[in-house]
Amino acid sequence: MPRQNDKREILTATAAGLFWRQGYTVTSLADIAVSSGIPLGNIYYYFKTKTDLARSVADIFVAETEDMLTQIVASDQDPRRRLQLLIDKLAQSLKSRVEHGCPIALGIRDFRRDSPEAASRAAEAFSLLIGFIGRELGRSGIRPSTALAIARNAVAEWQGGIMLAHGLRDPTVLAESFRRMERLLLGAKAHA
């Protein structure tokens, strides 16, 4: 029998998947109950409202991003290799992003009306990525303001690639976006 925290995690993971695949607005607590196998009445013990679930899902986005960046930092010291590892890790989800879009971006958009706090929390995942990229570019000798601009461009390239690939149902669009990210991040040169 799952422990209390396990049920909370199951409900959050189930909600995250349903919000991503069918949308926050149309997903009901009853849908989450059915998909999770946890009775609807029990959901209220863990989450009083759907907006409480949205905040918990946003926490997942941040935690998963932090975990990914921690793994990258632990695996290599070279800033360029770290950036390549980041691109490689992001590319691992190419198929699901083409099929469903970006769960973080969709969460930010969908949560904003009912739960602005959840939208802001979800957006922290993008801030973490931009900060990481900017720091690694800075470690390679690029000025902080330039590194920040390049980092924002890289995340915008990735997100734009996801949106266009999802809209066109064409994975090559996102694959091309990852190649442009590589050129942008790995081709950036330090200025004397």
Side-chain angles (χ1 to χ4, degrees), residues 80-96:
R80 300 293 176 161
R81 285 196 295 271
R82 284 180 175 176
L83 292 170
Q84 183 63 61
L85 287 169
L86 174 64
I87 294 167
D88 294 346
K89 285 193 176 285
L90 295 176
Q92 288 173 0
S93 63
L94 185 142
K95 183 179 178 188
S96 63

Side-chain angles (χ1 to χ4, degrees), residues 28-65:
S28 68
L29 290 178
D31 295 331
I32 295 165
V34 169
S35 291
S36 69
I38 297 173
L40 179 59
N42 290 5
I43 289 178
Y44 296 106
Y45 179 76
Y46 303 99
F47 300 100
K48 300 296 181 213
T49 65
K50 192 165 79 167
T51 59
D52 292 338
L53 260 168
R55 285 190 289 276
S56 190
V57 167
D59 287 340
I60 287 177
F61 297 152
V62 172
E64 288 180 351
T65 302

Side-chain angles (χ1 to χ4, degrees), residues 4-16:
Q4 181 176 353
N5 283 346
D6 292 342
K7 285 184 180 179
R8 184 176 175 82
E9 290 173 14
I10 289 167
L11 288 167
T12 302
T14 301

